[in-house]
Amino acid sequence: MRYSVAILGHVSKSQALLIAEDGSFLGHERDQGMEWRDSGYGWPAMTVRQLFERLARSQQLKFHHLVAKCEAVMIAMSGLDERHSGERFRNQLADCQLRPESVVFRSLAEANHMGAFHGGPGVLLRCGHGSSAFIRDHTGITMLIGGGGILVGDH
């Protein structure tokens, strides 16, 4: 069986979802937050590894077997958007043994939009520690407006 993993990295907590190749949901695990702006080097990658280890145990697999059978990994993190390439995280993931070509990075806004609209067009408004709008049009073009946080007037 082949797997996909979606990781939602919030500031205070993170969650990993394990999905089978037929699209069925197999389970989820939670761990510490993935605040990459204030944390030390390697902290988000350590959280990713811990989430994979927990998912492997929940499926009675060894860590390296789950990683080897993982076709796609999407990591969505707070504050990660088109302004950041994700290279810093991609380089740190070597310790997780993930194939770099299998990992994609997205903002939480885009991940939420994908869940709400299944990749189709729509507008997602988010409010919390500020506000943002994530828009995807019928051609697939996306735009993020806002999202800078209350310290820069995002309210």
Side-chain angles (χ1 to χ4, degrees), residues 75-135:
I75 299 174
M77 294 174 61
S78 293
L80 190 65
D81 58 35
E82 69 276 352
R83 296 171 285 191
H84 306 282
S85 70
E87 282 307 305
R88 176 176 154 199
F89 304 119
R90 195 176 308 282
N91 294 337
Q92 292 176 32
L93 291 175
D95 186 46
C96 297
Q97 302 169 6
L98 297 172
R99 293 182 327 276
E101 66 276 7
S102 71
V103 180
V104 295
F105 294 96
R106 297 290 184 259
S107 69
L108 284 175
E110 187 169 2
N112 287 325
H113 191 283
M114 292 166 124
F117 298 104
H118 302 283
V123 177
L124 175 73
L125 300 176
R126 297 179 352 146
C127 300
H129 299 290
S131 61
S132 66
F134 186 89
I135 303 157

Side-chain angles (χ1 to χ4, degrees), residues 5-146:
V5 173
I7 296 175
L8 305 174
H10 295 274
V11 173
S12 60
K13 65 180 183 288
S14 297
Q15 184 169 352
L17 311 172
L18 183 63
I19 303 152
E21 60 192 333
D22 65 2
S24 60
F25 175 73
L26 297 176
H28 73 279
E29 291 294 328
R30 294 175 192 255
D31 207 315
Q32 63 198 358
M34 294 176 71
E35 174 53 78
W36 59 274
R37 293 163 288 206
D38 297 330
S39 61
Y41 184 84
W43 190 266
M46 183 178 70
T47 300
V48 169
R49 183 176 177 97
Q50 289 171 344
L51 286 165
F52 263 87
E53 288 172 349
R54 289 177 182 205
L55 286 173
R57 279 194 301 271
S58 74
Q59 299 300 306
Q60 293 154 353
L61 294 169
K62 295 201 180 290
F63 170 80
H64 65 278
H65 288 140
L66 175 60
V67 170
K69 294 180 177 189
C70 198
E71 291 183 340
V73 179
M74 192 242 339
I75 299 174
M77 294 174 61
S78 293
L80 190 65
D81 58 35
E82 69 276 352
R83 296 171 285 191
H84 306 282
S85 70
E87 282 307 305
R88 176 176 154 199
F89 304 119
R90 195 176 308 282
N91 294 337
Q92 292 176 32
L93 291 175
D95 186 46
C96 297
Q97 302 169 6
L98 297 172
R99 293 182 327 276
E101 66 276 7
S102 71
V103 180
V104 295
F105 294 96
R106 297 290 184 259
S107 69
L108 284 175
E110 187 169 2
N112 287 325
H113 191 283
M114 292 166 124
F117 298 104
H118 302 283
V123 177
L124 175 73
L125 300 176
R126 297 179 352 146
C127 300
H129 299 290
S131 61
S132 66
F134 186 89
I135 303 157
R136 180 183 306 273
D137 72 9
H138 67 284
T139 66
I141 294 174
T142 63
M143 179 183 292
L144 177 65
I145 301 167

